[in-house]
Amino acid sequence: MSDASPRLNIGSHDLPVSPELSRFMAGDWAASPLPDSVRVPAYGVTPARRARLSARFPGERLIIPAGELKVRSNDCDYRFRPHSAYAWLTGLTGEDQVGHVLVLEPSGPHGHEAVLYLRPRSPRTGGSEEFYRDRRHGEFWVGRRPDLAEAERLTGLRCDRLDALGTPEGRNAATDAELAAALCELRLVKDAWEVGQLQLAVDHTAAGFEDVVRALPRALAHPRGERWIEGVFGLRARAEGNGTGYDTIAASGAHACVLHWIRNDGRLNRDDLLLLDAGVETDTLYTADVTRTLPLSGRFSPVQRQVYELVLAAQEAGIAALRPGASFRDFHRAGMRVIAEGLAEWGVLKNAEGDLHRRYTLCSSGHMLGLDVHDCAKARAETYLDGVLEEGQVLTVEPGLYLQPDDETLPPELRGIGVRIEDDLVVTATGARLMSGALPRTVAGIEEWMGTLLEG
């Protein structure tokens, strides 16, 4: 008997390809070009974006990767979404952008030439087997990519093969903090096209919330009703856009006191509230971010109404503070002042001074919104958190009260109630426009809206 360990046969599970099959696969394919008129939706606005970035870094090579696939399990990858900066500069948002790289090459004393390095469509001739053999990039596995000429027409960019890029030196958005911050700061103010995409995301989100209310009878009957809610909203998000912009929070009862409850495995109780925080992401990757807290019975109880109306008053105060030139933090301060005063009136706090109200609010009351749900997060503090609002910025206002079920500073009737109200707004010349106003926010409005949908 040999003392050598047995050799493991580790390798591809693909069937081998015979020379005859290889020759057979290489011929008799009809031409299938993309229509000449097809352009990325953001075709008309991306040149100005690249010019603004170019002006920030004269004479420097700038490298903006789309990103790579990440393994979910064994040979299955997570669904790919290109990096937001890459999408913003190129207009390319599809799953076929894996590994692609935009490079801004210095050109002249101040400008840049933008070159997109990509993996073009797999050839059907010349011995290539990629189009039918490559599970990650092959056309027959994951769909068609444009060839170089098609990609140039789609984007208006000069395009070259990815393997021609090599390893260029320069500022890389994936590793260079200054470039990453600049890209976020350039995105703080949305152009009219972006505001339109965000409004589309909000409108689809409102439809998804209506779907959820109509589905409540079935969700209430299911042992994991929160999952049912998540699935109903996810159907709308995939049918109308790219999917959800972030993991849906469908939190009933005390689960609503967990800020990022995405487990969504709880049963629904008619006597509880449902906190639904969800947003549709458009095919162009702009996302809404809306929260409503709904009575599962269709009617608020007196104590639920008490908590809800305090949060609503805080949100109204925050919205009223939005205007160009105001500090970004002003709307949060305005809302928290209302919360603190309300908690003092209830006797939960001795007075409204200081920051003890944060035990029950936990987090800030809003953030920028755009290609990312928490948009422009790498911007410098002086341009974002410590900056001032500008016309064209889009943000959320989302105060909340999270009254933990085991919090002995609270009277028993308040424990286990979580309420958040979140809306999306665009800053205008004189204030802010409520983009998510199609969804009711008042107690009476919600009860009437739910009643109409459930009767229908």
Side-chain angles (χ1 to χ4, degrees):
M1 178 182 293
S2 170
D3 60 356
S5 300
R7 299 184 65 184
L8 297 178
N9 185 16
I10 299 174
S12 172
H13 291 187
D14 288 347
L15 295 172
V17 173
S18 67
E20 292 79 12
L21 176 58
S22 182
R23 287 192 296 271
F24 186 55
M25 293 295 292
D28 298 318
W29 299 107
S32 56
L34 292 180
D36 288 350
S37 59
V38 175
R39 301 288 186 273
V40 294
Y43 185 91
V45 294
T46 53
R49 296 172 182 175
R50 295 190 294 269
R52 290 167 60 200
L53 179 61
S54 172
R56 292 281 289 265
F57 296 94
E60 297 191 67
R61 179 181 287 113
L62 308 178
I63 303 161
I64 301 94
E68 299 290 347
L69 289 168
K70 292 184 179 181
V71 174
R72 183 184 185 276
S73 63
N74 191 32
D75 58 351
C76 296
D77 297 310
Y78 284 100
R79 186 184 298 275
F80 181 76
R81 180 193 187 278
H83 191 281
S84 294
Y86 174 90
W88 188 71
L89 292 167
T90 66
L92 293 164
T93 60
E95 295 177 18
D96 59 347
Q97 298 304 305
V98 175
H100 295 181
V101 182
L102 176 69
V103 178
L104 270 61
E105 294 283 0
S107 175
H110 302 293
H112 288 80
E113 180 190 20
V115 184
L116 180 61
Y117 291 89
L118 51 82
R119 183 180 291 103
R121 185 182 188 186
S122 312
R124 304 284 182 88
T125 59
S128 172
E129 296 181 352
E130 181 189 86
F131 72 99
Y132 70 96
R133 294 275 283 167
D134 190 321
R135 292 170 181 260
R136 275 191 160 182
H137 306 296
E139 184 172 334
F140 287 6
W141 288 90
V142 296
R144 186 197 193 291
R145 299 188 302 272
D147 62 29
L148 290 178
E150 290 168 339
E152 291 187 344
R153 289 197 301 271
L154 278 169
T155 63
L157 292 163
R158 181 163 78 83
C159 296
D160 203 347
R161 298 181 61 87
L162 185 59
D163 54 18
L165 175 60
T167 308
E169 294 184 357
R171 290 185 181 269
N172 190 315
T175 57
D176 187 282
E178 187 176 354
L179 177 56
L183 284 163
C184 283
E185 290 165 5
L186 290 170
R187 288 166 42 211
L188 279 168
V189 175
K190 273 57 181 177
D191 56 42
W193 183 85
E194 290 180 290
V195 173
Q197 290 300 299
L198 284 163
Q199 186 64 64
L200 181 63
V202 169
D203 293 345
H204 289 322
T205 299
F209 274 69
E210 292 184 356
D211 296 340
V212 164
V213 173
R214 292 190 185 96
L216 282 180
R218 296 191 69 180
L220 282 159
H222 197 278
R224 292 203 291 183
E226 291 176 346
R227 289 265 167 106
W228 196 276
I229 295 303
E230 178 186 354
V232 167
F233 187 85
L235 174 60
R236 174 66 68 170
R238 283 294 282 168
E240 305 291 359
N242 188 52
T244 55
Y246 53 94
D247 288 330
T248 297
I249 298 170
S252 63
H255 290 166
C257 299
V258 180
L259 290 176
H260 290 165
W261 176 262
I262 59 173
R263 196 179 308 167
N264 299 343
D265 60 357
R267 181 184 287 275
L268 305 183
N269 185 321
R270 286 183 59 84
D271 295 331
D272 288 337
L273 297 172
L274 170 72
L275 188 157
L276 178 62
D277 186 335
V280 173
E281 180 180 83
T282 63
D283 291 329
T284 56
L285 306 187
Y286 289 84
T287 186
D289 183 8
V290 176
T291 306
R292 288 293 181 269
T293 306
L294 310 173
L296 286 166
S297 67
R299 307 284 295 183
F300 289 89
S301 72
V303 69
Q304 289 169 351
R305 177 191 292 260
Q306 174 189 346
V307 176
Y308 187 92
E309 289 189 333
L310 178 56
V311 175
L312 179 61
Q315 192 198 35
E316 293 284 10
I319 291 173
L322 298 178
R323 66 181 62 85
S327 167
F328 173 80
R329 298 184 190 269
D330 281 353
F331 75 90
H332 171 69
R333 297 188 185 104
M336 291 303 97
R337 188 159 46 248
V338 171
I339 291 285
E341 290 171 355
L343 291 172
E345 289 177 9
W346 294 353
V348 171
L349 294 177
K350 291 182 179 180
N351 58 64
E353 303 306 315
D355 64 352
L356 298 186
H357 63 276
R358 293 178 62 183
R359 178 181 177 114
Y360 313 102
T361 61
L362 299 177
C363 66
S364 185
S365 301
H367 51 81
M368 293 296 179
L369 186 67
L371 283 166
D372 298 322
V373 64
H374 299 137
D375 206 34
C376 309
K378 292 184 178 180
R380 293 168 298 169
E382 58 264 31
T383 64
Y384 181 176
L385 297 176
D386 297 327
V388 297
L389 296 177
E390 296 183 48
E391 183 177 357
Q393 290 179 337
V394 178
L395 71 162
T396 70
V397 177
E398 51 172 316
L401 272 174
Y402 311 100
L403 310 177
Q404 304 298 332
D406 56 352
D407 190 340
E408 293 184 343
T409 69
L410 297 168
E413 67 272 14
L414 288 176
R415 297 176 192 172
I417 295 177
V419 172
R420 179 164 66 251
I421 310 169
E422 179 179 20
D423 283 275
D424 303 340
L425 300 104
V426 56
V427 179
T428 65
T430 57
R433 175 172 66 82
L434 185 63
M435 303 175 76
S436 46
L439 291 173
R441 294 186 296 137
T442 66
V443 166
I446 286 173
E447 291 180 344
E448 180 182 0
W449 173 71
M450 291 184 69
T452 300
L453 291 173
L454 289 168
E455 288 173 3

